Amino acid sequence: MMDRESRSNRYYRNAVERHWDPGEIDLEADVENLLEYIEGATSYDRGDWDRTLNGIAKFGAGEDAVTEDLAPLATVLEDIDDQLFLTTQLYEEAKHADFFDRYWREVIWTVEDELGWERSNPRADRWFNDPYVELFDRNRAAQYRLLEEDTPENRAKAYCHYHLTVEGILAQTGYYGMQTSYGGEFEDLPHLPGLVEGFTKIRSDEGRHVGFGMNQLKKLVRDGVDPQLVEETVSELLPLVQGITEDERFQPDDADDQPGLDDGELAAYAVEKHTDRMQQITDATADVPDVDELVQLDGDD
Ligand SMILES: [Fe+2]
Ligand SMILES: [Fe+2]
């Protein structure tokens, strides 16, 4: 029988109840706003366009990668409630990848066509710097290792790479940054309501994914995995995350005047989130937040 009170089962139900369709998000205003913004700007060039595309390309390829790399975990989990949850996560990663593919086709290419620009390739090597390639390679290796050697330590490392770092730090921080940047509050950036709506849905899903990983880690630590292993695995990956969010090739020359959140604010947000989570995992008396809190985004303290 399923354990309806288990966190995995409740997270599974929460995912089902909060279902959304990436094909239903309205993207027309994004095309209009981008064209209006680009055509109305006094100086706007391909360098500015690349800065917008950079984030979208990195997230899109990242969602593809995590969709491809989650299956090993599904094959080793033996608990039915964990399995239920994981099927929702696999499905949601696929939807996230779907959203980005659609955004590129329907927004980016439409804008480029309208402006008479050459269509950009969302998978061109130039979007992905060395830290990016390295982080996703390491994540893949950590997941596939489970197929060779399924130990509690290797499971902990798999969750540390995937759930705590790629989702918990890189994705949640990046989505927060992009959502804020294109949410309409900065005059020097276009308002992209479709992108922001997609990010909002994705972030909410990611909150649940991260919560699942934290719970799994908490159980592993309770059953004897050294918490130091968790801390060290994430610490080793942090410079890679920083190398991705601060890809200097896409910073403007006058980086100080860059509209949107600055790197310092983003880094502070990431570190604060991570510190809270580590405490919730390693402190037996501390609880992982409830699922309603994990998927809720208002306030975003
Ligand atoms: Fe995702
Ligand atoms: Fe995820």
Side-chain angles (χ1 to χ4, degrees):
M1 290 288 283
M2 293 175 191
D3 177 0
R4 292 293 186 182
E5 296 308 309
S6 65
R7 280 184 184 258
S8 296
N9 196 288
R10 285 189 287 121
Y11 286 18
Y12 155 75
R13 282 299 314 168
N14 185 276
V16 172
E17 285 157 19
R18 295 177 69 101
H19 180 271
W20 60 281
D21 179 354
E24 273 180 9
I25 292 176
D26 187 356
L27 301 179
E28 276 175 35
D30 291 42
V31 174
E32 280 168 33
N33 290 358
L34 276 166
L35 284 171
E36 198 176 301
Y37 181 82
I38 293 169
E39 286 167 342
T42 41
S43 65
Y44 190 96
D45 56 25
R46 288 301 287 250
D48 298 302
W49 183 234
D50 280 353
R51 268 189 286 285
T52 297
L53 265 43
N54 165 49
I56 302 172
K58 281 188 168 77
F59 281 117
E63 295 290 359
D64 278 8
V66 297
T67 303
E68 290 167 5
D69 295 341
L70 190 57
L73 188 58
T75 70
V76 299
L77 288 177
E78 50 284 285
D79 181 273
I80 183 68
D81 298 296
D82 291 347
Q83 282 287 354
L84 287 178
F85 175 78
L86 212 80
T87 60
T88 65
Q89 185 173 351
L90 267 166
Y91 177 51
E92 285 167 357
E93 300 306 358
K95 288 199 294 182
H96 302 171
D98 176 5
F99 174 75
F100 282 102
D101 183 88
R102 183 175 167 236
Y103 200 86
W104 207 284
R105 284 170 201 276
E106 296 185 19
V107 177
I108 305 302
W109 281 347
T110 306
V111 168
E112 288 174 336
D113 289 353
E114 288 285 329
L115 295 170
W117 291 354
E118 199 188 324
R119 284 185 172 189
S120 305
N121 175 0
R123 296 295 175 271
D125 287 342
R126 68 193 186 104
W127 306 120
F128 312 110
N129 60 356
D130 293 343
Y132 186 98
V133 174
E134 176 78 21
L135 180 67
F136 283 95
D137 280 355
R138 285 204 210 176
N139 182 45
R140 170 167 299 193
Q143 306 312 313
Y144 279 82
R145 195 173 301 131
L146 295 174
L147 300 177
E148 310 292 329
E149 216 191 335
D150 179 21
T151 64
E153 281 71 25
N154 283 343
R155 281 201 195 187
K157 284 185 196 164
Y159 289 119
C160 285
H161 278 75
Y162 196 119
H163 297 77
L164 280 197
T165 308
V166 173
E167 300 187 298
I169 302 175
L170 179 64
Q172 281 198 319
T173 306
Y175 284 131
Y176 172 70
M178 298 272 286
Q179 210 177 351
T180 310
S181 296
Y182 297 107
E185 68 176 273
F186 296 102
E187 235 174 71
D188 294 333
L189 288 172
H191 179 208
L192 305 177
L195 188 70
V196 169
E197 189 184 336
F199 280 2
T200 306
K201 303 279 193 205
I202 293 172
R203 274 186 69 206
S204 175
D205 291 345
E206 297 298 350
R208 195 167 45 236
H209 302 170
V210 175
F212 172 76
M214 288 171 67
N215 276 306
Q216 298 295 99
L217 278 164
K218 201 171 165 71
K219 282 191 258 178
L220 287 163
V221 167
R222 191 192 58 204
D223 296 341
V225 169
D226 187 351
Q228 199 59 33
L229 175 89
V230 177
E231 187 65 70
E232 280 169 12
T233 306
V234 177
S235 298
E236 269 176 38
L237 298 172
L238 284 178
L240 298 176
V241 173
Q242 194 172 11
I244 297 168
T245 57
E246 297 175 12
D247 188 343
E248 69 287 341
R249 300 168 311 147
F250 295 102
Q251 308 284 344
D253 304 332
D254 52 345
D256 289 346
D257 300 331
Q258 189 187 8
L261 287 174
D262 67 37
D263 290 340
E265 281 175 90
L266 266 187
Y269 176 83
V271 168
E272 191 189 298
K273 286 253 162 198
H274 175 61
T275 309
D276 289 351
R277 288 189 190 125
M278 282 306 298
Q279 200 250 341
Q280 288 157 357
I281 290 165
T282 56
D283 181 347
T285 63
D287 255 338
V288 173
D290 199 62
V291 64
D292 292 323
E293 197 179 320
L294 289 164
V295 298
Q296 191 214 33
L297 302 167
D298 338 351
D300 273 325
D301 47 305

